[in-house]
């Protein structure tokens, strides 16, 4: 397995909150046949982590990215790629989605997910799901098999009862390291955000990692999706940005597809995913410019980041945190995973 | 009590889905000291309704509008005006919010509300509330007394437990005519939308009436809020646009404040409330132009409508349904309520 890393990835030791974009090998107006970008959460990710842990994360990102790239290369739809990659990351207990989700204040797991099709603006979302192994697939069923966009809590569980979706006990999502995080959060009497800047966590192995994917397929259709376990020690019923269409996820073939991760409340209030699309559509800026504007001007440093793909297959991975688990690939041979600047 | 009605309000008998705006008595660049716009839902509202019923609705709208106008005239904040007027409409069983809310498929009531401050983009929302007399006030408490933006279902009820907010039995919200609507919907094996175009309902006394308010106060601060009982016969846990910040409600002092009503799913997918603000901010269109663009170009005929106020105090009431219960007032003496074109 070969990891293609951004030059200097491991060398820069500073933590200066600057961000980088993965360089485009072609002029921006060259349309790619397909493209995909993914994230596994943004936040304070110490550069001092055990190299083995670091490499395991990079391997996880690379596996997920390979899955999505190959699916798109084979002519699969962007919706299928978004769902398949997020399912893979939900099953990977390194990330805060599906198995490995954080604990609520009641020592349970409540999962959120959303998915959107840029072709017809169809969308599906679930919040407060407790027994669905892959919430992203339930969100897709809401999109395709109900006349609604969003189901919450017991209603989402009831909708799951009507589908053939795989169910698990709530304890399936539990992992020892998330239980330790809950105890840590309780000790600090704090709610730890996905992007928590709590310096006490630096140097520890814990990560705060919502997952999300944006993709363009060979038919020119964009799609995006996001899945999360929310915040450690969160109150029951709290809805963050991940299941909110326009905040955590948006896709429109006329502009771009975006998945966000970070301080959910600020992402809702600033309509982060859709605002990037709106700036492209109404102000005529490029995806990169639109994403920079929202992440660095509308939001505050440390709030989080996004991954996005536009209709030309340009990819932007923008964040204002110290790091973001991320990756991008396209039909021109781009294939990169990274954590820090 | 004198009702100041748009000229010709009762005279036009056609149902041609055209819309009108309340005329501005001053040039558009004249800044009003305050302004308020409200709605009680959009949909197929028969012109053949009993004149007494019609007048009762207009009286209800006038009462609510008077309350808001007087509060703003006295120097009250736009947030206070939005909350007070929506509370009043929640208590009025003519509207589908608070008492008089529609029934779910399980013969219960699940209420949604959201509120947003244009000054700081702070926001609060609740969905699936069952025992809170005035959901808009719980949404405001979420905004001001929690670090979160949105709570769903049991979590929203638990948050209510932590506040001094007035609670009621779920049956408090029940009215006979909503029970008849549920039976009707079951007979038709259909989910009746707030904006239902079901011709079987024409000429009946039933209305489908989410409520919402947008306001500008003397300090130049915009605010908006929306409250609803959702759809008759809806599945438990279905979340419509009303509690979704950016879809049903948005406010930003840099552009405008909007409350929407109509086909919730399409309003979420098209980010209706925020998209109007985004067009103003990024394309430089006026509020009226931005609202027309979203309601008539992005959405389909019959999908619903919005009420909005911009930072200059311009008011727009735009809809593509046959009617919308609505009203608007400002510091220049505008005071109008209306139902049809």
């Amino acid at each position: 397995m070969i990891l293609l890393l951004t030059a200097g990835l491991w060398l820069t030791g500073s933590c200066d909150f600057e961000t980088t974009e993965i360089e485009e090998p072609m002029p921006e107006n060259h349309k790619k046949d397909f493209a995909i970008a993914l994230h596994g959460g943004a936040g304070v990710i110490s550069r001092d982590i055990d190299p083995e842990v670091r490499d395991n994360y990079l391997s996880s990102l690379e596996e997920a990215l390979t899955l999505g790239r190959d699916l798109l290369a084979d002519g699969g739809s962007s919706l299928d790629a978004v769902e398949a990659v997020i399912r893979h990351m939900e099953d990977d207990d390194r990330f805060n989605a599906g198995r490995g989700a954080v604990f609520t204040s009641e020592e349970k797991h409540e999962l959120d997910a959303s998915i959107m099709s840029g072709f017809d603006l169809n969308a599906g979302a679930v919040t407060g799901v407790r027994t669905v192994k892959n919430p992203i697939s339930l969100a897709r069923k809401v999109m395709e098999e109900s006349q609604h966009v969003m189901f919450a809590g017991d209603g989402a569980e009831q909708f799951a009862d009507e589908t053939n979706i795989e169910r698990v006990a709530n304890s399936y999502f539990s992992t020892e390291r998330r239980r330790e995080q809950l105890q840590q959060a309780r000790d600090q009497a704090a709610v730890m955000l996905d992007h928590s800047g709590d310096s006490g966590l630096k140097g520890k192995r814990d990560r705060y990692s919502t997952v999300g994917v944006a993709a363009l397929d060979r038919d020119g259709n964009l799609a995006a999706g996001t899945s999360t376990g929310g915040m450690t020690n969160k109150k029951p019923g709290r809805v963050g940005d991940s299941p909110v269409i326009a905040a955590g996820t948006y896709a429109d073939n006329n502009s771009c597809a975006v998945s966000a991760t970070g301080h959910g409340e600020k992402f809702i209030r600033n309509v982060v995913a859709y605002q990037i699309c709106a700036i492209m559509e109404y102000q005529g800026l490029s995806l990169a410019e639109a994403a920079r504007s929202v992440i660095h001007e509308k939001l505050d440093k440390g709030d989080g980041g996004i991954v996005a793909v536009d209709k030309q297959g340009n990819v932007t991975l923008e964040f204002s945190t110290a790091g973001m688990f991320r990756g991008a690939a396209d039909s021109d041979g781009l294939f990169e995973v990274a954590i820090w600047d």
Side-chain angles (χ1 to χ4, degrees), chain A:
Chain A
M1 184 182 65
I2 298 169
L3 292 176
L4 303 173
L5 302 171
T6 317
L9 184 66
W10 309 116
L11 304 177
T12 48
S14 69
C15 186
D16 56 5
F17 292 94
E18 283 178 14
T19 64
T20 58
E21 285 163 69
I22 288 174
E23 284 174 28
E24 303 294 335
M26 298 279 185
E28 200 161 318
N29 57 359
H30 164 77
K31 184 179 183 310
K32 282 85 174 176
D33 293 331
F34 64 85
I36 184 167
L38 62 81
H39 67 80
V44 174
I45 305 161
S46 171
R47 290 173 189 269
D48 301 330
I49 55 172
D50 184 332
E52 188 185 328
V53 173
R54 177 198 67 198
D55 291 348
N56 284 341
Y57 268 102
L58 290 167
S59 296
S60 282
L61 292 168
E62 197 205 31
E63 274 176 34
L65 188 61
T66 302
L67 175 69
R69 181 200 56 186
D70 292 353
L71 204 153
L72 292 167
D74 289 346
S77 75
S78 53
L79 273 174
D80 285 346
V82 166
E83 182 183 1
V85 173
I86 291 179
R87 281 179 68 96
H88 183 85
M89 296 179 85
E90 285 173 340
D91 292 344
D92 184 335
D93 70 6
R94 288 191 181 86
F95 301 106
N96 175 21
R99 181 159 164 74
V102 299
F103 283 89
T104 67
S105 60
E106 297 187 341
E107 293 187 45
K108 299 288 183 192
H109 307 280
E110 290 186 352
L111 309 178
D112 303 334
S114 63
I115 192 166
M116 185 160 186
S117 160
F119 172 69
D120 53 9
L121 303 189
N122 208 353
V126 290
T127 179
V129 166
R130 297 179 298 273
T131 67
V132 174
K133 182 164 177 268
N134 293 106
I136 192 69
S137 294
L138 184 62
R140 187 163 180 188
K141 282 184 183 291
V142 171
M143 176 172 80
E144 294 180 344
E145 298 176 20
S146 87
Q147 56 185 315
H148 301 305
V149 165
M150 190 174 185
F151 282 105
D154 293 340
E157 293 285 326
Q158 283 185 35
F159 179 74
D161 292 342
E162 300 168 15
T163 71
N164 283 327
I165 207 151
E166 187 173 356
R167 311 295 280 276
V168 291
N170 194 254
S171 59
Y172 160 81
F173 302 109
S174 301
T175 54
E176 201 43 50
R177 101 193 150 91
R178 296 300 186 191
R179 200 178 292 279
E180 286 166 15
Q181 281 180 6
L182 175 64
Q183 194 51 52
Q184 236 178 1
R186 284 175 169 170
D187 291 348
Q188 296 166 9
V191 175
M192 286 156 41
L193 297 177
D194 179 49
H195 74 301
S196 177
D198 188 320
S199 61
L201 301 166
K202 286 183 186 169
K204 296 191 191 291
R205 295 175 56 161
D206 302 326
R207 303 292 168 275
Y208 317 93
S209 315
T210 292
V211 307
V213 178
L216 172 75
D217 62 28
R218 289 183 182 279
D219 292 330
N221 290 319
L222 290 165
T226 309
S227 181
T228 191
M231 305 188 312
T232 294
N233 205 26
K234 72 178 175 184
K235 288 188 175 194
R238 174 257 183 184
V239 183
D241 63 319
S242 300
V244 175
I245 297 299
T249 299
Y250 204 76
D252 181 348
N253 277 5
N254 291 319
S255 50
C256 62
V258 184
S259 172
T261 178
H263 187 162
E265 280 69 16
K266 293 187 76 171
F267 278 56
I268 293 175
R269 291 158 50 190
N270 287 281
V271 203
V272 168
Y274 171 73
Q275 185 167 182
I276 292 169
C277 299
I279 291 174
M280 287 188 74
E281 181 174 357
Y282 293 119
Q283 209 173 15
L285 296 193
S286 71
L287 175 62
E289 291 167 332
R292 274 197 296 269
S293 165
V294 172
I295 295 299
H296 301 292
E297 293 168 28
K298 295 287 182 172
L299 295 173
D300 296 315
K301 191 177 282 189
D303 278 346
I306 59 94
V307 298
V309 178
D310 72 13
K311 59 185 174 183
Q312 301 295 317
N314 297 304
V315 169
T316 288
L317 317 174
E318 193 72 35
F319 55 101
S320 66
T321 44
M324 180 167 76
F325 296 107
R326 64 197 190 276
D330 69 20
S331 55
D332 287 347
L334 173 73
F335 188 95
E336 295 185 322
V337 295
I339 302 177
W340 299 280
D341 298 347

